[in-house]
Amino acid sequence: MNPSGGILWHWHAWRHRPLWTHCCQDIAQWLGQAPASPKELLLIGASAGWMMDSAWLQRFTHIDTYDLDRLAGPLFRRNHGAALRASGTVLRCHRADAFSDLGSVLRQHPQALVLLDNVLGQLRFHYPDVDEASHRVATVARKLQGRHWGSLHDAYSGPVRTPCSARPRIAMARQQKQAHGPNSASGAPQRAAFAKFGSQLDADGAWLDHLTDDVFAPGTWVNHIAWPYSDDYCHWLQAAWVAPAGAPQASKESMP
């Protein structure tokens, strides 16, 4: 069984979609910050696109999705196919592990905007060794250098005291990632940010670290999004767009 997908995930997503309304709105707002120039999209870890905005996908002429889950492609077409046919967008769904030979996949789509859709934080479950999982996450980020790319992924996740349905909406926050200070341990800025965000989420006890602290370089403007995975369990998502060296970077003022 896929540790981060499969039929149980799709059933959970279908059942809890109403609870995710505000989170999906935040994700749609972040997607709108993507660079406008690429007309092709390389979507890795797309699953069924449960939390994606069809209107944003329609801006592309070609979309290639990659996911190991055998249900991901058919359900992605079910959720977004009609809209993409209406816009004339060519959709190709690949059942494959894009990370097994990421360099080759990137070369096959040299002009595409690359989006890692809630996949990097899941590598934590595919590699039981924490150091190996951290290395895999860092390797993916390095291989994307020189491309326009973005990632939406888990930072932390865990139980909450107050049911998500009974709590006021937590607005998406935008913050520039800070570098580690000379006397601070790796991950210290991330943990400090979570201390603030976690209090808003009413976090209960220790949360799982998804090992994604080093995905984005210092100076990157990162969006922080609350995802009520279920009524008593929440994820802290991070999302950002990264430009190639020398290209204009997204700024705070670019937020819609």
PDB file of all heavy atoms in Angstrom, residues 32 43 55 59 61 69 76 98 121 153 156-158 173 221 229 234 248 254:
ATOM      1  N   GLY A  32      -1.787  31.593  -7.851  1.00  0.00           N
ATOM      2  CA  GLY A  32      -1.861  32.803  -8.655  1.00  0.00           C
ATOM      3  C   GLY A  32      -0.600  33.636  -8.636  1.00  0.00           C
ATOM      4  O   GLY A  32      -0.433  34.542  -9.461  1.00  0.00           O
ATOM      5  N   LEU A  43       3.701  18.648 -13.344  1.00  0.00           N
ATOM      6  CA  LEU A  43       3.064  18.529 -12.037  1.00  0.00           C
ATOM      7  C   LEU A  43       3.456  17.197 -11.411  1.00  0.00           C
ATOM      8  O   LEU A  43       3.027  16.134 -11.871  1.00  0.00           O
ATOM      9  CB  LEU A  43       1.549  18.638 -12.221  1.00  0.00           C
ATOM     10  CG  LEU A  43       0.638  18.714 -11.006  1.00  0.00           C
ATOM     11  CD1 LEU A  43       1.087  19.801 -10.043  1.00  0.00           C
ATOM     12  CD2 LEU A  43      -0.799  18.953 -11.461  1.00  0.00           C
ATOM     13  N   ALA A  55      -9.369  26.526 -12.637  1.00  0.00           N
ATOM     14  CA  ALA A  55      -9.184  27.765 -13.402  1.00  0.00           C
ATOM     15  C   ALA A  55      -7.704  28.075 -13.576  1.00  0.00           C
ATOM     16  O   ALA A  55      -7.284  28.561 -14.635  1.00  0.00           O
ATOM     17  CB  ALA A  55      -9.896  28.923 -12.711  1.00  0.00           C
ATOM     18  N   ARG A  59      -4.785  27.843 -17.566  1.00  0.00           N
ATOM     19  CA  ARG A  59      -3.896  28.822 -18.199  1.00  0.00           C
ATOM     20  C   ARG A  59      -2.808  28.143 -19.022  1.00  0.00           C
ATOM     21  O   ARG A  59      -2.150  28.781 -19.840  1.00  0.00           O
ATOM     22  CB  ARG A  59      -3.241  29.718 -17.143  1.00  0.00           C
ATOM     23  CG  ARG A  59      -2.454  28.965 -16.097  1.00  0.00           C
ATOM     24  CD  ARG A  59      -1.590  29.857 -15.223  1.00  0.00           C
ATOM     25  NE  ARG A  59      -0.307  30.107 -15.845  1.00  0.00           N
ATOM     26  CZ  ARG A  59       0.730  30.646 -15.210  1.00  0.00           C
ATOM     27  NH1 ARG A  59       0.605  31.044 -13.965  1.00  0.00           N
ATOM     28  NH2 ARG A  59       1.874  30.818 -15.822  1.00  0.00           N
ATOM     29  N   THR A  61      -1.164  25.330 -21.763  1.00  0.00           N
ATOM     30  CA  THR A  61      -1.509  24.623 -22.997  1.00  0.00           C
ATOM     31  C   THR A  61      -1.272  23.127 -22.869  1.00  0.00           C
ATOM     32  O   THR A  61      -1.955  22.323 -23.509  1.00  0.00           O
ATOM     33  CB  THR A  61      -0.680  25.159 -24.182  1.00  0.00           C
ATOM     34  OG1 THR A  61       0.724  24.952 -23.906  1.00  0.00           O
ATOM     35  CG2 THR A  61      -0.934  26.648 -24.392  1.00  0.00           C
ATOM     36  N   ASP A  69       0.552   6.530  -7.771  1.00  0.00           N
ATOM     37  CA  ASP A  69      -0.769   5.996  -7.449  1.00  0.00           C
ATOM     38  C   ASP A  69      -1.546   5.692  -8.730  1.00  0.00           C
ATOM     39  O   ASP A  69      -1.733   6.564  -9.578  1.00  0.00           O
ATOM     40  CB  ASP A  69      -1.498   7.054  -6.604  1.00  0.00           C
ATOM     41  CG  ASP A  69      -2.854   6.590  -6.112  1.00  0.00           C
ATOM     42  OD1 ASP A  69      -3.315   5.512  -6.519  1.00  0.00           O
ATOM     43  OD2 ASP A  69      -3.460   7.336  -5.312  1.00  0.00           O
ATOM     44  N   PHE A  76      -7.717  12.516 -11.358  1.00  0.00           N
ATOM     45  CA  PHE A  76      -7.347  13.877 -11.768  1.00  0.00           C
ATOM     46  C   PHE A  76      -8.187  14.292 -12.979  1.00  0.00           C
ATOM     47  O   PHE A  76      -8.687  15.424 -13.044  1.00  0.00           O
ATOM     48  CB  PHE A  76      -5.854  13.946 -12.107  1.00  0.00           C
ATOM     49  CG  PHE A  76      -5.335  15.351 -12.270  1.00  0.00           C
ATOM     50  CD1 PHE A  76      -4.758  16.018 -11.195  1.00  0.00           C
ATOM     51  CD2 PHE A  76      -5.422  16.013 -13.486  1.00  0.00           C
ATOM     52  CE1 PHE A  76      -4.283  17.322 -11.341  1.00  0.00           C
ATOM     53  CE2 PHE A  76      -4.959  17.305 -13.641  1.00  0.00           C
ATOM     54  CZ  PHE A  76      -4.377  17.962 -12.559  1.00  0.00           C
ATOM     55  N   ALA A  98       8.597  10.162 -10.615  1.00  0.00           N
ATOM     56  CA  ALA A  98       9.421  11.176 -11.281  1.00  0.00           C
ATOM     57  C   ALA A  98      10.751  11.367 -10.580  1.00  0.00           C
ATOM     58  O   ALA A  98      11.737  11.770 -11.208  1.00  0.00           O
ATOM     59  CB  ALA A  98       8.667  12.505 -11.337  1.00  0.00           C
ATOM     60  N   GLY A 121       6.959  16.591   1.504  1.00  0.00           N
ATOM     61  CA  GLY A 121       6.719  16.232   2.895  1.00  0.00           C
ATOM     62  C   GLY A 121       6.326  14.786   3.085  1.00  0.00           C
ATOM     63  O   GLY A 121       6.411  14.245   4.199  1.00  0.00           O
ATOM     64  N   HIS A 153       4.094  21.847   0.389  1.00  0.00           N
ATOM     65  CA  HIS A 153       4.420  20.631   1.137  1.00  0.00           C
ATOM     66  C   HIS A 153       4.158  20.811   2.631  1.00  0.00           C
ATOM     67  O   HIS A 153       4.039  21.926   3.137  1.00  0.00           O
ATOM     68  CB  HIS A 153       5.886  20.240   0.914  1.00  0.00           C
ATOM     69  CG  HIS A 153       6.855  21.346   1.210  1.00  0.00           C
ATOM     70  ND1 HIS A 153       7.505  22.029   0.220  1.00  0.00           N
ATOM     71  CD2 HIS A 153       7.251  21.920   2.381  1.00  0.00           C
ATOM     72  CE1 HIS A 153       8.280  22.959   0.757  1.00  0.00           C
ATOM     73  NE2 HIS A 153       8.136  22.909   2.068  1.00  0.00           N
ATOM     74  N   TYR A 156       4.923  20.620   9.281  1.00  0.00           N
ATOM     75  CA  TYR A 156       4.619  19.842  10.482  1.00  0.00           C
ATOM     76  C   TYR A 156       3.162  19.393  10.403  1.00  0.00           C
ATOM     77  O   TYR A 156       2.347  19.992   9.690  1.00  0.00           O
ATOM     78  CB  TYR A 156       4.806  20.683  11.755  1.00  0.00           C
ATOM     79  CG  TYR A 156       6.238  21.036  12.070  1.00  0.00           C
ATOM     80  CD1 TYR A 156       6.812  22.204  11.598  1.00  0.00           C
ATOM     81  CD2 TYR A 156       7.014  20.204  12.875  1.00  0.00           C
ATOM     82  CE1 TYR A 156       8.124  22.537  11.898  1.00  0.00           C
ATOM     83  CE2 TYR A 156       8.328  20.527  13.182  1.00  0.00           C
ATOM     84  CZ  TYR A 156       8.875  21.693  12.690  1.00  0.00           C
ATOM     85  OH  TYR A 156      10.178  22.018  12.988  1.00  0.00           O
ATOM     86  N   SER A 157       2.829  18.366  11.194  1.00  0.00           N
ATOM     87  CA  SER A 157       1.436  17.934  11.289  1.00  0.00           C
ATOM     88  C   SER A 157       1.223  17.279  12.640  1.00  0.00           C
ATOM     89  O   SER A 157       2.135  16.704  13.233  1.00  0.00           O
ATOM     90  CB  SER A 157       1.087  16.957  10.166  1.00  0.00           C
ATOM     91  OG  SER A 157       1.867  15.774  10.254  1.00  0.00           O
ATOM     92  N   GLY A 158      -0.036  17.396  13.131  1.00  0.00           N
ATOM     93  CA  GLY A 158      -0.324  16.799  14.418  1.00  0.00           C
ATOM     94  C   GLY A 158      -1.725  17.108  14.904  1.00  0.00           C
ATOM     95  O   GLY A 158      -2.495  17.815  14.250  1.00  0.00           O
ATOM     96  N   ALA A 173      -0.401  33.229   5.965  1.00  0.00           N
ATOM     97  CA  ALA A 173       0.638  34.201   6.302  1.00  0.00           C
ATOM     98  C   ALA A 173       1.754  34.120   5.281  1.00  0.00           C
ATOM     99  O   ALA A 173       1.969  33.072   4.655  1.00  0.00           O
ATOM    100  CB  ALA A 173       1.175  33.936   7.702  1.00  0.00           C
ATOM    101  N   TRP A 221      10.276  34.139  -0.257  1.00  0.00           N
ATOM    102  CA  TRP A 221       8.990  34.468   0.362  1.00  0.00           C
ATOM    103  C   TRP A 221       8.127  33.214   0.390  1.00  0.00           C
ATOM    104  O   TRP A 221       7.793  32.646  -0.641  1.00  0.00           O
ATOM    105  CB  TRP A 221       8.299  35.593  -0.395  1.00  0.00           C
ATOM    106  CG  TRP A 221       8.907  36.931  -0.095  1.00  0.00           C
ATOM    107  CD1 TRP A 221       9.824  37.597  -0.849  1.00  0.00           C
ATOM    108  CD2 TRP A 221       8.652  37.730   1.053  1.00  0.00           C
ATOM    109  NE1 TRP A 221      10.169  38.789  -0.238  1.00  0.00           N
ATOM    110  CE2 TRP A 221       9.448  38.895   0.931  1.00  0.00           C
ATOM    111  CE3 TRP A 221       7.819  37.592   2.168  1.00  0.00           C
ATOM    112  CZ2 TRP A 221       9.453  39.906   1.892  1.00  0.00           C
ATOM    113  CZ3 TRP A 221       7.816  38.595   3.124  1.00  0.00           C
ATOM    114  CH2 TRP A 221       8.621  39.726   2.979  1.00  0.00           C
ATOM    115  N   TYR A 229      -6.642  18.644   8.081  1.00  0.00           N
ATOM    116  CA  TYR A 229      -6.710  17.329   7.432  1.00  0.00           C
ATOM    117  C   TYR A 229      -7.961  16.566   7.865  1.00  0.00           C
ATOM    118  O   TYR A 229      -8.606  15.902   7.065  1.00  0.00           O
ATOM    119  CB  TYR A 229      -5.449  16.535   7.775  1.00  0.00           C
ATOM    120  CG  TYR A 229      -5.357  15.196   7.099  1.00  0.00           C
ATOM    121  CD1 TYR A 229      -4.988  15.099   5.757  1.00  0.00           C
ATOM    122  CD2 TYR A 229      -5.633  14.023   7.795  1.00  0.00           C
ATOM    123  CE1 TYR A 229      -4.908  13.861   5.134  1.00  0.00           C
ATOM    124  CE2 TYR A 229      -5.551  12.793   7.174  1.00  0.00           C
ATOM    125  CZ  TYR A 229      -5.190  12.711   5.840  1.00  0.00           C
ATOM    126  OH  TYR A 229      -5.118  11.486   5.231  1.00  0.00           O
ATOM    127  N   CYS A 234      -4.335  18.536  12.084  1.00  0.00           N
ATOM    128  CA  CYS A 234      -4.049  19.636  11.164  1.00  0.00           C
ATOM    129  C   CYS A 234      -2.616  19.546  10.636  1.00  0.00           C
ATOM    130  O   CYS A 234      -1.731  18.977  11.285  1.00  0.00           O
ATOM    131  CB  CYS A 234      -4.248  20.974  11.888  1.00  0.00           C
ATOM    132  SG  CYS A 234      -4.392  22.406  10.788  1.00  0.00           S
ATOM    133  N   PRO A 248      13.895  37.578 -11.776  1.00  0.00           N
ATOM    134  CA  PRO A 248      13.254  38.278 -10.663  1.00  0.00           C
ATOM    135  C   PRO A 248      12.592  37.298  -9.697  1.00  0.00           C
ATOM    136  O   PRO A 248      11.917  36.357 -10.124  1.00  0.00           O
ATOM    137  CB  PRO A 248      12.203  39.167 -11.349  1.00  0.00           C
ATOM    138  CG  PRO A 248      12.658  39.280 -12.757  1.00  0.00           C
ATOM    139  CD  PRO A 248      13.368  37.996 -13.077  1.00  0.00           C
ATOM    140  N   SER A 254       4.221  41.112  -4.420  1.00  0.00           N
ATOM    141  CA  SER A 254       3.629  40.373  -5.541  1.00  0.00           C
ATOM    142  C   SER A 254       2.432  39.550  -5.132  1.00  0.00           C
ATOM    143  O   SER A 254       1.752  38.974  -5.956  1.00  0.00           O
ATOM    144  CB  SER A 254       4.666  39.463  -6.190  1.00  0.00           C
ATOM    145  OG  SER A 254       5.013  38.396  -5.329  1.00  0.00           O
TER     146      SER A 254
END
